[in-house]
Amino acid sequence: MRQNFIKVQQQDFNLEAEYRALCLDNQQDGAVVFFVGLVRDFNQGAEVKSLFLEHYSGMTEKCLESIVVQARDKWQLGRVRVLHRVGQLELGEQIVFVGVSSPHRKNAFEACEFIMDYLKTQAPFWKKELSPEGETWLEAKQSDHNEADKWGA
Amino acid sequence: MRQNFIKVQQQDFNLEAEYRALCLDNQQDGAVVFFVGLVRDFNQGAEVKSLFLEHYSGMTEKCLESIVVQARDKWQLGRVRVLHRVGQLELGEQIVFVGVSSPHRKNAFEACEFIMDYLKTQAPFWKKELSPEGETWLEAKQSDHNEADKWGA
Amino acid sequence: MIKILFFGQLREVLQTEILQLDINELGKLPVNVAELRVFLQAKSELWQEYLCSSRSLVAVNQTMASETNLIADDDEVALFPPVTGG
Amino acid sequence: MIKILFFGQLREVLQTEILQLDINELGKLPVNVAELRVFLQAKSELWQEYLCSSRSLVAVNQTMASETNLIADDDEVALFPPVTGG
């Protein structure tokens, strides 16, 4: 079982399969923390029907890999899985999965949060909202940068 | 769909079903954070083969309910699910599930961590480790109390 | 009557799961958690050792209680070691 | 040649996905990110507006770059708005 699994893909992911991949034949890690991000309809006003997610293929994978390496430098982690979808996603669909296993609960929580904070501010993804009124590129949020900064980059 | 779901049970739980219960017909919450705790073999030395979990029926449910209420006072949360198993659990089995949905990623992360920290130090569960050398009641860890204290009870 | 429940290692070591106690046996009223401890600790050296406040917590009517919490007739009191769930 | 890629809103607004540029066209060498911006911004008012450092980030060879990062021949440069994944 690979310790890091990072994937950018169009197709959906299965939470149960991801969970199994984190736990299977893993006798060391008593704590597993996941984050799942979903398409919701309140992003920046308007009635969002779907999202289009673009990314910089090549750089994205490198960037996610580097974020996971940084997390491993900070915390004792077992397995880390990061999946991010691209392309058109409808309301309610899964966008991103981050799963972390660790012998220590706090390490799993902090690493999972750290990976999400860095992914949000560093990984080259861009979201366009598709609503009845048209298409709108999402603006980056300052609050996301504040969250990322708190880890003391 | 009930906003709070709290259960103490002997039987195992299914992560996929818990996830579905957090997301189904939930258009508001774009962030879902879970924690799963599993039986591992490194707790306090010795080769742990299984755990026996005892609880104070009645008080446990009240206590978990109160922890979730406190979390809702602090953060904007959608659905919260807390499942804790009791009885004999073998190596690798699931012990506890905490799942939180929220419109905001940070709220979901912090509430999930808070619920686990409080559950660890307040909910009346006791673990006995069963190893080839015999039975040993687990000692409470000071580190767990330090974690819980940081939320400023 | 007060119902006193014991859990975890306390239940095993003291070989007691439940104890019914006439509140008047406790002598003076009202009585608080600390005074109930002292009363129970008088039973034996084992009870003395395991019921000290550093080794056992107390809940009254299924809510964590402090040493100065008063205990009334018909209350459900529970004594147990520091919790280790999760 | 330098390869310059555009992403997100930048790609749409500038109607440019990729640009090949002879590094010698940039005039003085070595050249850094800030100087490449100035060169590209000269194309039109739209480019002027969208390529300012407050509206676009730069990666050189798939790594985030600062304004003083030098650019060499054969580098892959990318220009894009602040990221919004997750």
Side-chain angles (χ1 to χ4, degrees), chain C residues 73-85:
Chain C
D73 205 8
D74 294 324
D75 275 356
E76 176 177 304
V77 177
L79 283 150
F80 45 77
V83 303
T84 56

Side-chain angles (χ1 to χ4, degrees), chain B residues 103-115:
Chain B
H104 307 294
R105 177 171 97 258
K106 282 289 130 182
N107 286 351
F109 268 114
E110 292 185 0
C112 189
E113 201 174 341
F114 169 89
I115 291 168

Side-chain angles (χ1 to χ4, degrees), chain B residues 2-145:
Chain B
R2 289 158 63 185
Q3 291 300 96
N4 291 349
F5 181 88
I6 289 162
K7 190 97 188 281
V8 179
Q9 60 186 35
Q10 281 210 286
Q11 67 265 35
D12 201 5
F13 50 83
N14 178 272
L15 190 88
E16 183 73 21
E18 292 311 311
Y19 177 55
R20 255 183 276 119
L22 285 165
C23 295
L24 198 72
D25 298 324
N26 179 352
Q27 301 286 10
Q28 291 78 52
D29 300 331
V32 179
V33 174
F34 314 112
F35 175 84
V36 180
L38 303 136
V39 182
R40 288 309 182 222
D41 61 354
F42 57 88
N43 268 339
Q44 281 172 13
E47 198 187 344
V48 178
K49 288 288 174 227
S50 53
L51 285 182
F52 185 83
L53 259 147
E54 179 176 332
H55 80 125
Y56 179 1
S57 180
M59 178 169 170
T60 317
E61 291 82 355
K62 268 195 202 177
C63 182
L64 295 176
E65 196 78 51
S66 146
I67 292 168
V68 172
V69 167
Q70 289 173 66
R72 286 194 184 278
D73 282 346
K74 286 178 182 279
W75 296 285
Q76 190 192 339
L77 306 179
R79 297 181 188 161
V80 178
R81 295 180 75 84
V82 180
L83 274 93
H84 202 298
R85 294 178 68 197
V86 291
Q88 186 161 340
L89 302 178
E90 306 303 318
L91 195 60
E93 280 199 76
Q94 304 181 123
I95 304 171
V96 57
F97 171 84
V98 177
V100 175
S101 76
S102 170
H104 307 294
R105 177 171 97 258
K106 282 289 130 182
N107 286 351
F109 268 114
E110 292 185 0
C112 189
E113 201 174 341
F114 169 89
I115 291 168
M116 273 308 301
D117 285 347
Y118 270 56
L119 184 157
K120 278 257 175 196
T121 54
Q122 316 235 313
F125 292 102
W126 302 274
K127 277 196 198 109
K128 189 157 64 172
E129 293 187 341
L130 314 174
S131 74
E133 291 84 52
E135 304 183 351
T136 320
W137 287 98
L138 240 79
E139 303 271 336
K141 282 187 273 180
Q142 185 54 45
S143 60
D144 286 330
H145 285 269

Side-chain angles (χ1 to χ4, degrees), chain C residues 1-85:
Chain C
M1 297 292 273
I2 313 170
K3 186 161 85 173
I4 306 173
L5 306 170
F6 297 83
F7 290 97
Q9 194 180 18
L10 232 55
R11 179 180 47 71
E12 282 193 355
V13 170
L14 306 180
Q15 299 184 296
T16 307
E17 205 169 325
I18 184 164
L19 203 74
Q20 300 274 1
L21 191 68
D22 184 337
I23 197 161
N24 296 306
E25 280 189 58
L26 290 165
K28 84 174 223 346
L29 289 178
V31 63
N32 67 21
V33 164
E35 290 157 347
L36 176 65
R37 269 190 208 278
V38 170
F39 178 86
L40 294 171
Q41 283 178 303
K43 280 182 177 282
S44 81
E45 270 186 34
L46 206 61
W47 287 64
Q48 174 75 38
E49 184 185 341
Y50 277 87
L51 293 188
C52 69
S53 62
S54 66
R55 299 191 74 158
S56 58
L57 304 175
V58 179
V60 176
N61 297 326
Q62 307 191 344
T63 302
M64 286 288 190
S66 70
E67 294 303 297
T68 55
N69 244 118
L70 290 180
I71 296 163
D73 205 8
D74 294 324
D75 275 356
E76 176 177 304
V77 177
L79 283 150
F80 45 77
V83 303
T84 56

Side-chain angles (χ1 to χ4, degrees), chain D residues 5 12 28 36 45 61 70-71:
Chain D
L5 306 170
E12 282 193 355
K28 83 174 226 342
L36 176 65
E45 269 185 35
N61 297 326
L70 291 180
I71 296 164

